[in-house]
Amino acid sequence: MADAQSPQPIVEMRGIEKAFGAVQALRKVDLVLYPGEILGLVGDNSAGKSTLMKILTGAYQRDAGEIFVAGQPVQFKSPHESRDAGIEMIYQDFALCGNMDVGQNIFLGRWPLKGPFVDRRAMYAEADRVLKRLKVDVNSVYQKVESLSGGRQQSVAIARAISFEPRVVILDEPTANLSVMATERLLETMLELKRQGVAQIIISHRLVDIFAVGDRVMVLKRGEYVGDRYIRNTDEHEVLEIIVSGTSDTALTADEARTRRS
């Protein structure tokens, strides 16, 4: 349990297990995320990072374990249910419609209506508001998404997620295909979300990005929880050693992350 000085976790996953046939993808994995925290989720390609997040968002069903959101037990049967609980995931391919404009993408499938018709004025006004909230530099909400750079498309994907007013945003390899400048803009956007109290999980191989904005980093190895490190108490070299070796005598356990958080 968290101590009196720690807020209640916004997400807590306990003893999560998942198998795909004979392959055990996750073994008793714990994860704790606090409101407004940026958590880096790292490990090699078979560590189970994406599987764990897909279980959190309801895309996969866990075989064992418990999930709590704001202290309440949950069992998400689909991403729609996790979205209703305030959890959004932004995938590496952004899942945007290139032939539609920015405003249409932000409200794709849930356009505001005025009678039987789409209220375009309201849609574009709200899209503009969301982009300004994120301090995102997009020339126009009427611009076709396919004409945008990768960095700006990423910003539109984030804006769409934020338009649902989430409490948690999960980003899957968010800087993998971005330029240096676009990466810097994205990291600034993540810090802006943090200032607004949105908790975030970054699945990434780029430790430099996690260290630029993160509060804590969690390591998985072959489907098992290895441990946590607070960014302020570690460096990239130490985390890389944990990723490679899969062991760390002084890494925080999930219980310690709950009780020793300051």
Side-chain angles (χ1 to χ4, degrees), residues 107 112 114 118-128 141-142:
F107 288 94
K114 192 172 185 179
V118 174
D119 189 341
R120 292 183 176 275
R121 177 178 294 181
M123 180 178 71
Y124 289 115
E126 180 63 15
D128 188 60
V141 291
Y142 302 101

Side-chain angles (χ1 to χ4, degrees), residues 29-260:
V29 174
D30 294 349
L31 179 146
V32 179
L33 179 70
Y34 290 90
E37 182 180 38
I38 298 180
L39 172 67
L41 185 58
V42 302
D44 56 29
N45 288 332
S46 59
K49 306 181 297 296
S50 293
T51 299
L52 185 65
M53 292 299 95
K54 287 179 179 179
I55 288 173
L56 177 57
T57 60
Y60 291 163
Q61 299 302 301
R62 62 188 184 266
D63 296 334
E66 300 175 291
I67 301 176
F68 299 84
V69 175
Q72 299 300 311
V74 296
Q75 174 74 53
F76 299 136
K77 295 183 174 63
S78 72
H80 293 291
E81 292 186 5
S82 67
R83 173 174 287 164
D84 289 342
I87 299 173
E88 283 285 334
M89 185 162 181
I90 301 170
Y91 292 94
Q92 195 171 349
D93 64 1
F94 309 151
L96 299 172
C97 294
N99 63 334
M100 292 184 176
D101 62 37
V102 170
Q104 290 170 325
N105 268 276
I106 290 176
F107 288 94
L108 186 64
R110 54 191 178 94
W111 293 297
L113 299 176
K114 192 172 185 179
F117 305 105
V118 174
D119 189 341
R120 292 183 176 275
R121 177 178 294 181
M123 180 178 71
Y124 289 115
E126 180 63 15
D128 188 60
R129 186 193 68 80
V130 171
L131 291 169
K132 286 179 178 175
R133 172 187 168 186
L134 293 175
K135 301 180 180 178
V136 167
D137 179 22
V138 172
N139 292 331
S140 170
V141 291
Y142 302 101
Q143 189 171 356
K144 290 288 182 67
V145 162
E146 62 191 3
S147 70
L148 300 175
S149 67
R152 286 186 169 83
Q153 288 189 27
Q154 176 90 310
S155 296
V156 172
I158 294 173
R160 182 178 60 191
I162 291 304
S163 70
F164 286 94
E165 299 292 338
R167 295 182 285 180
V168 177
V169 173
I170 303 161
L171 300 102
D172 186 8
E173 297 290 351
T175 62
N177 300 311
L178 301 186
S179 67
V180 172
M181 185 174 296
T183 295
E184 290 177 356
R185 282 198 300 266
L186 174 62
L187 297 179
E188 289 171 2
T189 298
M190 294 179 68
L191 290 173
E192 182 61 30
L193 289 177
K194 176 181 173 65
R195 285 189 285 270
Q196 296 177 20
V198 179
Q200 297 161 79
I201 299 175
I202 321 171
I203 304 172
S204 182
H205 288 91
R206 287 178 52 85
L207 291 179
V208 64
D209 296 336
I210 291 172
F211 273 77
V213 298
D215 298 296
R216 190 161 49 92
V217 59
M218 170 178 161
V219 182
L220 294 180
K221 181 78 171 181
R222 290 189 293 273
E224 296 185 351
Y225 170 87
V226 177
D228 286 10
R229 279 285 195 276
Y230 291 116
I231 296 296
R232 64 177 181 267
N233 295 333
T234 189
D235 57 32
E236 292 179 40
H237 178 72
E238 183 180 26
V239 173
L240 185 59
E241 284 187 342
I242 297 171
I243 292 171
V244 172
S245 68
T247 60
S248 176
D249 293 337
T250 56
L252 293 179
T253 66
D255 283 339
E256 289 171 327
R258 285 190 290 272
T259 59
R260 289 174 53 184

